[in-house]
Amino acid sequence: MEKKQLIDRINTQFKGNLNSQNTSYSGINKAKAVWWFNIHVSKFEDDVHLLLDNTDHVLWITLPKSFVSNLQGTFKIREDKNAVDLEISADSKLLYLRDRKSGGTGFDFRGFVRDKIGF
């Protein structure tokens, strides 16, 4: 399922408020088992939604505004893009749903999973 279709389904089925500006989507990277995102720092001034595609389902993660007190101290920031650089582990046996990006703190996203959406 593509990003726009997922956003439409979530907004209809779960009465969500997702749109292309506040929502980022990733499939599992082919080189290593992670969902990879670059999200501009300014987007964290509001809620951020992540859609993690896992072939037979999608995990919907909601990061509320101010979910961490120090964005720069919690995540690796790509200075060239002024973006939060995330690699969220898709490996169920190794740091599942934790940020694996070098320079990050291993932030655990499990507490922010809003729903698991099957296909």
Side-chain angles (χ1 to χ4, degrees), residues 75 85-88 97-101 104-107 109:
F75 301 108
D85 195 11
L86 298 174
E87 285 185 4
I88 301 173
L97 292 180
R98 289 185 180 264
D99 181 20
R100 294 189 52 197
K101 191 68 180 179
T105 61
F107 186 84
F109 290 90

Side-chain angles (χ1 to χ4, degrees), residues 60-75:
W60 172 20
I61 292 177
T62 299
L63 303 173
K65 178 181 176 179
S66 303
F67 74 105
V68 293
S69 59
N70 182 353
L71 200 62
Q72 290 79 8
T74 306
F75 301 108

Side-chain angles (χ1 to χ4, degrees), residues 52 58-62 97 109-116:
L52 285 58
V58 168
L59 294 176
W60 172 20
I61 292 177
T62 299
L97 292 180
F109 290 90
R110 288 178 294 181
F112 297 93
V113 174
R114 183 131 171 212
D115 221 312
K116 178 179 176 180

